[in-house]
């Protein structure tokens, strides 16, 4: 079941339970008050049946209205006019890479269809053709774009030109927090994701179900990659003066919530590029142990859920 259907199903089921329970309670009460033998018992039974029908009808109406509302809420992304959508978009990525996920959050939000080519993080054979040896690499109608923030800037200039025309002081805040994502937030992620061997292996589980890799390659990448990143994370921890990984992650999450200052999104009623950047880099850790701990111990959970609902289903094309 996809994201939209799953969320709508959960929400609708919840309302269904409550409304049917309320209807049942009402009907049960009416039955109790009308089953006492009286001279007009037929009228009582008729009145009870009518009340039952009305209660059930009310429940169904509530369910239908709520399901409609839930559907609209989940589909709050911003699809582009057809003439602005690129014809072919291909993303060369690592599934767990925060920078790659930042680009995917942008593509998903604007409903831009894209293909994904999973790159072997050890051999990088899938990008041998490129002079740029990092990911993400985004090919847009034959043009190579590199570096996540530059990709979003260049693609954004092409597909949402009105953004420049609407430029205002809010852009300064957006730029500030996009810079914070690249210069601070991403640096606290690796020490958390690869904090110990079990969490490092958990983060590489994606490799077993992504990419056109052989069994041997998958096993090699999972264990060798996890081991390598475990040691890299220790170096990053020292480089950025991180003494407590989780404390640094929690502090970053709280810093972001403070920046929202009570708004639904940094962009106000809808996400801006900073919202998409924070959401994108957090998305690959959200359901790992580090991400679960973050949501349980900070206030970021409500904002993250709003972003999940707003960005909605992926626009990634199936292979």
């Amino acid at each position: 079941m996809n994201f939209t259907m799953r969320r709508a199903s959960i929400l609708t089921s919840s309302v269904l339970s409550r409304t049917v329970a309320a209807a049942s309670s009402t009907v049960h009460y009416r039955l109790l008050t009308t089953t006492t033998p009286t001279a007009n018992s037929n009228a009582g039974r008729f009145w009870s049946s009518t009340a039952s029908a009305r209660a059930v009808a009310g429940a169904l109406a509530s369910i239908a209205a709520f399901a409609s509302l839930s559907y609209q809420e989940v589909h709050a992304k911003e699809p582009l006019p057809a003439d602005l959508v690129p014809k072919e978009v291909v993303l060369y990525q690592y599934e767990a890479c925060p920078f790659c996920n930042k680009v995917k959050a942008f593509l998903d939000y604007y409903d831009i269809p894209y293909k994904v080519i999973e790159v072997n993080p050890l051999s990088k054979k899938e990008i041998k053709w490129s002079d740029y040896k990092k990911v993400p690499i985004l090919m847009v109608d034959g043009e190579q774009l590199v570096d996540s923030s530059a990709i979003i800037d260049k693609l954004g200039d092409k597909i949402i030109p009105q953004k420049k025309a609407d430029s205002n002081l809010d852009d300064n805040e957006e730029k500030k927090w996009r810079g914070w994502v690249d210069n601070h937030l991403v640096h606290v992620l690796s020490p958390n994701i690869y904090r110990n061997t079990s969490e490092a292996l958990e983060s590489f589980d994606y490799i077993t179900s992504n990419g056109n890799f052989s069994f041997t390659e998958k096993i090699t990448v999972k264990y060798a990659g996890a081991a390598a990143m475990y040691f890299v994370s220790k170096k990053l921890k020292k480089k950025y003066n991180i003494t407590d990984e989780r404390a640094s992650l929690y502090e970053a999450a709280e810093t972001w919530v403070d920046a929202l200052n009570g708004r639904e999104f940094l962009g106000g009623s809808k996400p801006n590029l900073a919202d998409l950047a924070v959401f994108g880099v957090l998305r690959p850790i959200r359901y790992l142990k580090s991400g679960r701990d973050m949501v349980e111990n900070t206030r970021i959970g409500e904002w993250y859920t709003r972003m999940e609902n707003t960005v909605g289903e992926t626009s990634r094309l199936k292979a």
Side-chain angles (χ1 to χ4, degrees):
M1 184 180 293
N2 61 35
F3 174 83
T4 304
M5 292 177 65
R6 182 170 65 250
R7 176 166 172 78
S9 175
I10 292 170
L11 293 172
T12 305
S13 295
S14 175
V15 175
L16 175 61
S17 299
R18 291 196 296 271
T19 51
V20 170
S24 298
S25 177
T26 301
V27 172
H28 181 64
Y29 173 76
R30 298 305 186 194
L31 286 172
L32 287 175
T33 57
T34 57
T35 52
T36 302
T38 66
N40 197 18
S41 59
N42 288 335
R45 283 193 294 270
F46 175 78
W47 185 88
S48 177
S49 298
T50 303
S52 302
R54 287 175 178 171
V56 172
L60 292 175
S62 298
I63 294 165
F66 191 83
S68 175
L69 177 62
S70 301
Y71 182 84
Q72 292 170 9
E73 177 188 3
V74 170
H75 284 76
K77 61 170 65 185
E78 291 194 54
L80 300 169
D83 61 327
L84 292 179
V85 178
K87 293 181 176 61
E88 183 178 36
V89 179
V90 181
L91 176 66
Y92 292 81
Q93 65 147 29
Y94 306 144
E95 184 68 21
C97 165
F99 296 107
C100 300
N101 277 276
K102 193 201 320 181
V103 173
K104 287 192 288 187
F106 178 88
L107 296 172
D108 291 338
Y109 180 65
Y110 286 103
D111 209 18
I112 301 170
Y114 60 97
K115 299 176 183 177
V116 165
I117 295 180
E118 192 67 24
V119 175
N120 184 314
L122 299 183
S123 69
K124 298 184 180 180
K125 60 183 180 180
E126 292 78 12
I127 55 173
K128 291 289 187 183
W129 53 270
S130 175
D131 292 333
Y132 188 79
K133 300 304 179 184
K134 299 178 183 180
V135 294
I137 296 175
L138 191 71
M139 296 297 297
V140 181
D141 293 337
E143 179 184 2
Q144 176 180 270
L145 304 179
V146 300
D147 184 273
S148 61
S149 291
I151 288 171
I152 290 169
D153 286 338
K154 291 177 181 177
L155 189 55
D157 287 346
K158 291 182 178 182
I159 65 172
I160 43 176
Q162 73 275 14
K163 182 173 175 60
K164 284 186 175 180
D166 296 337
S167 179
N168 53 44
L169 292 177
D170 290 341
D171 283 349
N172 292 328
E173 185 180 38
E174 182 183 79
K175 289 175 182 177
K176 170 188 172 182
W177 289 102
R178 288 182 69 194
W180 175 81
V181 171
D182 291 341
N183 299 318
H184 179 72
L185 182 58
V186 292
H187 298 315
V188 306
L189 296 183
S190 289
N192 277 279
I193 300 170
Y194 309 108
R195 184 174 62 154
N196 52 48
T197 53
S198 64
E199 289 186 54
L201 284 171
E202 179 191 28
S203 71
F204 269 83
D205 279 341
Y206 81 92
I207 204 69
T208 61
S209 57
N210 289 275
N212 187 25
F213 307 143
S214 68
F215 175 78
T216 301
E217 285 178 313
K218 289 179 179 180
I219 296 301
T220 302
V221 169
K222 179 175 179 177
Y223 288 93
M229 289 308 300
Y230 172 78
F231 290 108
V232 167
S233 71
K234 300 309 173 188
K235 292 182 179 179
L236 292 173
K237 182 178 175 180
K238 183 177 180 180
K239 179 178 179 179
Y240 295 106
N241 298 314
I242 297 173
T243 55
D244 185 319
E245 301 93 333
R246 285 295 195 266
S248 295
L249 179 61
Y250 299 162
E251 181 182 4
E254 291 292 345
T255 296
W256 174 248
V257 175
D258 286 341
L260 297 175
N261 195 26
R263 293 169 288 184
E264 289 190 349
F265 307 104
L266 193 77
S269 61
K270 59 184 179 180
N272 63 15
L273 295 183
D275 287 290
L276 292 172
V278 176
F279 175 70
V281 300
L282 291 180
R283 189 153 59 168
I285 78 161
R286 170 60 184 92
Y287 297 100
L288 298 178
K289 179 168 174 46
S290 54
R292 296 193 301 270
D293 288 349
M294 175 187 69
V295 168
E296 289 173 5
N297 290 281
T298 73
R299 297 170 294 154
I300 203 170
E302 290 186 5
W303 170 85
Y304 190 92
T305 298
R306 285 195 296 272
M307 287 298 298
E308 273 190 322
N309 294 340
T310 303
V311 173
E313 291 186 47
T314 181
S315 53
R316 174 175 176 170
L317 299 172
K318 293 182 179 180

